[in-house]
Amino acid sequence: MSGEINQEIKSEYEKIQDKISYEDFLKKMEERKHDYEDVSFMSELDIARTIVGEYINEENKPLSEANEAHKINELETGRDNISVTGRVMHISNVKKFTSKKGREGKLANMIISDDTGEIRVVLWTENIKFLKKILEGDVIKINNAEVKQGFREDELHMKLDSTIQKLPEEDFQTFPKYDDKITNIVDIKGDTTVNVIARIVRIPKTRTFNKNGKEGKVLSMEIQDKTGKIQYTLWNRDTDILEYLDLKEGDSVKILGAMARIRDGEVSLTHSWVGRVMKGEFDLPEYTETVQKIGDAHEMRDVTVIGVISKIYDAITFIRDDESTGQVRSLEMEDDTGSIRITLWNEDANMDLKKGDIIKIIGGNIEFDEYSGTDYRINTNWNSKIIINPEIDSKLKTQLKECGKYLKPLKIADIHLMDDEGEEIDVVGRVVNLYEPSEFNRDDGTTGKVRTVEIGDGTGIIRTSFWDDKADLALNVGDPIKLENARTRLGNYNMDLSIGRPARIVKPSAEEMADIPSINDIEDSLYSSKTISELNEGDNNIRMVGRVINIYDPNEFQRGDGTKGIVRTVEIADGTGVIRASFWDEKTETPLNVGDAIKIENPRVNSREEKIEISVGRNTNVSKAKTEEAEKLPSHDDIKEMIYKTKKIDDIEEEDKNIKVTGQIVEAYGNRILYEMCPNCNKRVSLVDNTYICDICGEEIEEPNYLMIIPCVIEDDTGTMRVTFFRTAAEELIGMKMPEIIEVIQKTGDEGSLEDKVSDLVGHEITVIADASFDEYNEEIRLNAKKLVELKM
């Protein structure tokens, strides 16, 4: 420091100008600024006051008078401005802290002893500089300190203006001697305090834990001297020593005041609150790492293994006895001599691992495991170190990459050539078809869930079954997907895949997707597009696009095995024709509206009464047509004009379908419009002694279904014809819904209670879409109305 200083500092100097020259004062100021460079809250004025405090106290009394000397056993809480002389028995590492006001500081502890006892000395940020000049074993005098109540006993706290003087050791022969003996690791016994010199051979990551609601940290490194290895554990704030001293594997250290403990029959060291770690150059053998070959695995402890990951399984969460949660994860690794199962726990279970990664495990234990498939497994623990893609020599790296060549996903075409079930394989592709999940009951009474997902990769398509929680995954057609550990299962014609608990669903990398075609290209390779007029009975893997022109109410039925089913008829047209589509079970819930352009992939094409129909079941994919697909279709109005041919009554032929007929109602029969039907076989039932009996099933029916039929006769300028309205068409004609009609008839008890309302239809002009058929009993052509287009007076 040179030049002018401010008046406040000059005023401080004037207090001691008879004891020190101005030049020496400035020199001390410069030295002290360097000592306090880590103390952010120390101003130049504060530093000047610490210098003045070395000569006088606040009452301007000589320091020798203000600091009364005491023996350690005389110290009591509340005593201030005292001096104590003792031998340094322990010095802790410096620790960082943050005050309640957010200020950062430093803290260290010492233990000093005299011939009357020992006491803890607390050094704060401004006192840390003194540690550069003293060591364990030195005799020191601490000036101007204060005694405070500590956690267990009285403590000596240094203050801003406290000082430490090093004294000649020969003047204090009665003080306890400092034991600087270094103990070989092999000679360490439990329940002792030791000093060791060793090389750090393993530094695992710092782990967190929760105890009584408070979070803590722990780091257990492994150290080694020429006689053996041992664990050295740091807890909570002491884990910062690693960063503070910049410790790395291979560094040599002197550790003073370590506490030796025995746990599970093994001795380990723990860093004590007054322990100290010093980094330096010490005479120690170099550490040579031994890597265990997997093929030579047997029951061993604390091994180092390097291999390539060949299988990964998802982490599993479990509940411990204390009701806390933990996680465990399995994977398999292999080298050029064999493979082995690995078990990872808790934080390690969530490491970002991928098949093909090279992994190094340090400090694992090889255990016998008859269920692993490899006889042994490596069980890691909280002190194991796991390194992903470590630095290794090029020869070993090439060797392991060669081992991992076969780990690449298989092409779907190659999977279908496999003969054996139960193989675990990987596949990459795109979601081609998604089907709704369905629940089922297991033999043990639990409920399971399964969902069919079809995956394509350009070489083929494969059917996969996603089980239980995997059935609820959010997937969309076209999504890239990678399946790991999928199990092969022989389906009806090809190999299928089962995606159960061991399987993983992950997002493939850009490299893995490089050869996978777009969803449009995959679909084009899988399906043959056909118009309605091109369909033939028995067609497979076809795709058709059309517009919904009619949607009918679903009908329930009973299968031969007694289970309930449901079917819904939907009519679809594309400009080349119209086709009837039967939507079964869960497909009846497909959201559809008249006029919608839809795409149907993989329907079953069959013939019924010499007419082609399609069946839409679980394995059929129904989706909204893409914009470019919908644009190729005629509009809904155009389709209606094309398929609904207008005919006069006299021109109607018995094979006519979807014809539009207009006429005036001249007769309407409403004496009975509601008929009870068997809910099992859908045939009419008879009322016998107030009980409905189905002549087909031979059973009593508690609650029948109902069918509404309204027969009419219409007339135009060419003739008359009978038209029968069923179900929805009948509801449209009479202007009432089925539940309303049932309620009216049941309340009145009169089957003909709506006869007048039906009779009121006479004289109305109607336009209907209908199919014609020949009634052999009456030997005439009749119409079955499919849709009421218009009804007017």
Side-chain angles (χ1 to χ4, degrees):
M1 177 181 290
S2 61
E4 292 296 320
I5 58 176
N6 65 42
Q7 186 57 46
E8 288 182 312
I9 295 176
K10 281 185 177 180
S11 297
E12 289 295 322
Y13 168 69
E14 289 169 359
K15 296 177 183 179
I16 58 172
Q17 60 185 349
D18 59 334
K19 298 179 176 64
I20 183 173
S21 70
Y22 186 63
E23 289 74 18
D24 288 342
F25 177 76
L26 294 180
K27 185 178 179 181
K28 277 185 174 287
M29 283 282 293
E30 195 66 37
E31 291 173 351
R32 202 61 56 87
K33 281 179 67 178
H34 178 72
D35 289 339
Y36 289 122
E37 63 184 354
D38 292 334
V39 186
S40 60
F41 51 83
M42 288 287 286
S43 67
E44 287 190 352
L45 181 60
D46 291 328
I47 293 172
R49 285 171 176 167
T50 64
I51 297 171
V52 172
E54 293 179 12
Y55 296 93
I56 60 174
N57 67 2
E58 288 300 318
E59 286 77 31
N60 207 27
K61 295 179 180 178
L63 192 64
S64 58
E65 295 179 22
N67 279 272
E68 185 179 354
H70 287 271
K71 289 290 186 179
I72 289 175
N73 68 347
E74 298 173 346
L75 301 180
E76 296 177 350
T77 296
R79 300 296 298 270
D80 198 2
N81 296 327
I82 62 170
S83 66
V84 179
T85 300
R87 189 185 303 278
V88 178
M89 307 303 287
H90 297 284
I91 303 174
S92 77
N93 285 98
V94 177
K95 304 173 186 177
K96 294 180 179 180
F97 68 90
T98 302
S99 70
K100 292 181 179 179
K101 294 183 178 180
R103 287 181 173 178
E104 291 186 353
K106 295 179 181 178
L107 167 71
N109 296 298
M110 286 195 303
I111 299 293
I112 63 170
S113 297
D114 65 7
D115 48 7
T116 69
E118 68 175 27
I119 193 169
R120 174 186 179 184
V121 181
V122 182
L123 294 86
W124 300 96
T125 308
E126 59 273 12
N127 315 126
I128 298 298
K129 64 182 184 297
F130 295 117
L131 295 180
K132 299 176 182 178
K133 302 174 183 179
I134 61 174
L135 295 170
E136 290 86 348
D138 289 345
V139 176
I140 63 171
K141 183 181 181 183
I142 300 173
N143 297 307
N144 201 27
E146 178 184 5
V147 184
K148 294 184 177 182
Q149 177 63 48
F151 180 66
R152 293 187 178 89
E153 299 173 339
D154 290 339
E155 299 174 345
L156 193 64
H157 283 243
M158 295 185 67
K159 301 186 297 182
L160 188 67
D161 55 355
S162 298
T163 61
I164 295 178
Q165 297 171 262
K166 185 175 177 181
L167 302 178
E169 184 179 348
E170 58 268 18
D171 295 341
F172 302 93
Q173 296 298 318
T174 59
F175 283 7
K177 299 298 181 183
Y178 172 69
D179 186 2
D180 59 356
K181 177 186 175 184
I182 301 298
T183 303
N184 289 329
I185 288 175
V186 73
D187 297 325
I188 296 174
K189 309 297 182 185
D191 299 322
T192 58
T193 300
V194 297
N195 305 324
V196 297
I197 293 177
R199 190 177 301 282
I200 300 173
V201 296
R202 179 166 83 245
I203 303 176
K205 66 182 179 181
T206 302
R207 301 181 186 272
T208 58
F209 61 90
N210 192 293
K211 186 175 182 180
N212 299 326
K214 295 182 66 176
E215 188 176 90
K217 297 190 294 182
V218 61
L219 170 67
S220 191
M221 67 178 76
E222 189 172 59
I223 60 175
Q224 175 180 295
D225 67 8
K226 61 184 177 182
T227 68
K229 291 193 294 187
I230 197 168
Q231 283 186 7
Y232 181 58
T233 302
L234 307 173
W235 296 90
N236 300 317
R237 283 196 303 188
D238 289 332
T239 59
D240 296 336
I241 292 173
L242 202 70
E243 180 182 357
Y244 193 77
L245 297 179
D246 190 26
L247 295 177
K248 298 181 177 64
E249 287 159 341
D251 287 344
S252 54
V253 292
K254 178 189 281 189
I255 300 173
L256 304 177
M259 296 185 297
R261 295 176 175 174
I262 298 178
R263 183 178 181 183
D264 298 331
E266 291 190 5
V267 180
S268 63
L269 295 177
T270 296
H271 184 79
S272 70
W273 63 277
V274 289
R276 181 148 73 135
V277 180
M278 291 179 287
K279 181 178 176 180
E281 295 295 330
F282 301 102
D283 184 18
L284 289 164
E286 293 296 324
Y287 174 63
T288 303
E289 184 177 59
T290 302
V291 178
Q292 176 69 39
K293 284 291 186 181
I294 293 174
D296 299 328
H298 57 280
E299 289 182 286
M300 305 169 68
R301 297 184 63 80
D302 196 23
V303 298
T304 297
V305 183
I306 301 175
V308 61
I309 298 176
S310 55
K311 281 187 181 178
I312 302 177
Y313 300 94
D314 286 331
I316 297 173
T317 301
F318 60 90
I319 307 297
R320 300 186 182 95
D321 293 339
D322 63 359
E323 296 187 353
S324 63
T325 59
Q327 286 192 308
V328 61
R329 187 183 200 181
S330 291
L331 54 95
E332 288 185 15
M333 66 183 293
E334 59 182 66
D335 62 13
D336 58 321
T337 66
S339 63
I340 196 166
R341 179 70 63 94
I342 311 292
T343 304
L344 306 179
W345 299 91
N346 301 317
E347 294 176 34
D348 292 337
N350 293 312
M351 294 181 72
D352 184 16
L353 300 169
K354 300 183 293 295
K355 272 190 179 181
D357 281 346
I358 293 174
I359 186 172
K360 181 178 183 179
I361 298 175
I362 307 170
N365 298 326
I366 301 180
E367 304 170 352
F368 178 72
D369 184 357
E370 62 180 320
Y371 301 107
S372 69
T374 58
D375 292 333
Y376 293 97
R377 67 168 178 163
I378 298 177
N379 195 16
T380 60
N381 54 67
W382 64 280
N383 195 36
S384 300
K385 184 171 185 178
I386 300 164
I387 308 171
I388 304 170
N389 296 318
E391 292 185 7
I392 55 177
D393 66 73
S394 57
K395 182 179 178 181
L396 178 58
K397 189 172 185 178
T398 301
Q399 198 176 64
L400 292 175
K401 289 295 184 182
E402 189 69 25
C403 292
K405 275 187 176 180
Y406 78 96
L407 298 175
K408 292 183 178 180
L410 296 180
K411 294 295 184 183
I412 290 175
D414 295 331
I415 299 174
H416 287 310
L417 297 176
M418 296 175 67
D419 296 323
D420 296 329
E421 290 187 304
E423 297 288 331
E424 286 190 354
I425 58 96
D426 299 350
V427 63
V428 171
R430 292 188 187 276
V431 176
V432 176
N433 283 321
L434 284 168
Y435 303 98
E436 292 300 316
S438 60
E439 293 186 346
F440 61 92
N441 293 319
R442 297 187 178 92
D443 294 338
D444 62 1
T446 60
T447 300
K449 188 179 287 188
V450 63
R451 185 184 198 184
T452 297
V453 180
E454 290 179 333
I455 310 295
D457 68 355
T459 72
I461 187 171
I462 193 162
R463 179 189 175 97
T464 64
S465 297
F466 283 52
W467 299 92
D468 298 320
D469 58 331
K470 291 182 172 63
D472 293 324
L473 291 174
L475 297 173
N476 297 293
V477 170
D479 282 352
I481 191 170
K482 181 179 183 181
L483 305 177
E484 291 184 0
N485 315 321
R487 192 172 295 276
T488 57
R489 186 181 64 179
L490 190 60
N492 293 332
Y493 304 102
N494 290 312
M495 194 66 75
D496 293 345
L497 295 179
S498 180
I499 314 301
R501 178 174 291 180
R504 301 180 71 227
I505 297 96
V506 297
K507 185 177 180 179
S509 66
E511 182 182 358
E512 289 171 324
M513 290 299 296
D515 296 330
I516 305 298
S518 68
I519 185 63
N520 289 340
D521 290 342
I522 290 176
E523 288 179 340
D524 288 341
S525 68
L526 296 175
Y527 300 115
S528 172
S529 294
K530 286 195 172 186
T531 63
I532 291 174
S533 64
E534 293 171 337
L535 293 177
N536 295 302
E537 183 179 7
D539 279 345
N540 289 314
N541 296 324
I542 64 102
R543 176 201 294 142
M544 56 167 288
V545 177
R547 288 195 188 276
V548 177
I549 57 171
N550 276 318
I551 304 173
Y552 298 95
D553 289 337
N555 291 319
E556 290 187 352
F557 63 92
Q558 184 168 318
R559 298 184 178 90
D561 60 3
T563 60
K564 296 281 187 181
I566 189 168
V567 63
R568 183 179 210 171
T569 298
V570 177
E571 287 184 326
I572 299 167
D574 66 358
T576 71
V578 61
I579 194 167
R580 174 190 175 104
S582 298
F583 283 62
W584 300 91
D585 299 318
E586 67 268 16
K587 289 297 183 181
T588 61
E589 299 176 5
T590 304
L592 297 174
N593 296 294
V594 171
D596 284 351
I598 63 171
K599 178 166 58 180
I600 300 177
E601 294 169 323
N602 198 35
R604 191 169 67 248
V605 183
N606 45 47
S607 177
R608 180 181 179 186
E609 297 178 356
E610 298 183 355
K611 294 194 67 176
I612 296 295
E613 296 184 349
I614 61 172
S615 183
V616 178
R618 177 173 293 179
N619 295 332
T620 307
N621 188 49
V622 181
S623 60
K624 182 179 179 181
K626 297 175 183 176
T627 302
E628 59 270 24
E629 293 170 328
E631 288 175 349
K632 294 178 182 179
L633 293 173
S635 68
H636 186 219
D637 289 338
D638 289 343
I639 285 179
K640 287 192 293 185
E641 289 298 323
M642 290 161 50
I643 63 174
Y644 298 142
K645 302 297 183 184
T646 300
K647 281 204 168 187
K648 292 288 189 178
I649 290 175
D650 192 46
D651 297 329
I652 294 173
E653 299 177 356
E654 61 180 270
E655 297 299 326
D656 283 341
K657 304 294 180 186
N658 290 315
I659 56 173
K660 184 189 293 186
V661 182
T662 300
Q664 187 180 56
I665 299 175
V666 293
E667 293 183 49
Y669 307 100
N671 58 320
R672 184 181 184 188
I673 62 172
L674 209 59
Y675 297 88
E676 295 80 8
M677 310 295 288
C678 175
N680 299 323
C681 64
N682 212 31
K683 301 297 183 182
R684 288 189 186 180
V685 296
S686 304
L687 185 62
V688 180
D689 297 330
N690 295 321
T691 300
Y692 291 108
I693 303 293
C694 177
D695 295 333
I696 304 299
C697 299
E699 297 179 359
E700 292 185 5
I701 306 300
E702 293 183 7
E703 184 63 38
N705 291 339
Y706 291 92
L707 172 67
M708 182 161 55
I709 303 175
I710 301 179
C712 296
V713 176
I714 64 172
E715 178 182 67
D716 68 7
D717 57 355
T718 67
T720 61
M721 184 168 286
R722 186 183 181 97
V723 184
T724 304
F725 291 81
F726 296 89
R727 299 186 178 89
T728 305
E731 289 178 332
E732 292 174 346
L733 181 67
I734 198 174
M736 293 176 68
K737 293 293 185 181
M738 179 79 78
E740 299 176 78
I741 294 169
I742 293 172
E743 183 180 5
V744 169
I745 292 175
Q746 288 179 344
K747 279 185 177 180
T748 61
D750 180 9
E751 292 179 347
S753 55
L754 292 172
E755 185 173 9
D756 290 344
K757 187 172 181 63
V758 173
S759 298
D760 289 343
L761 294 170
V762 174
H764 287 57
E765 182 180 285
I766 62 171
T767 301
V768 297
I769 304 298
D771 290 340
S773 61
F774 185 75
D775 183 347
E776 294 183 357
Y777 181 78
N778 294 292
E779 295 185 347
E780 63 183 9
I781 296 175
R782 293 187 172 185
L783 294 176
N784 291 326
K786 298 172 68 174
K787 184 177 182 61
L788 179 65
V789 178
E790 190 177 18
L791 173 66
K792 62 182 180 180
M793 296 297 294

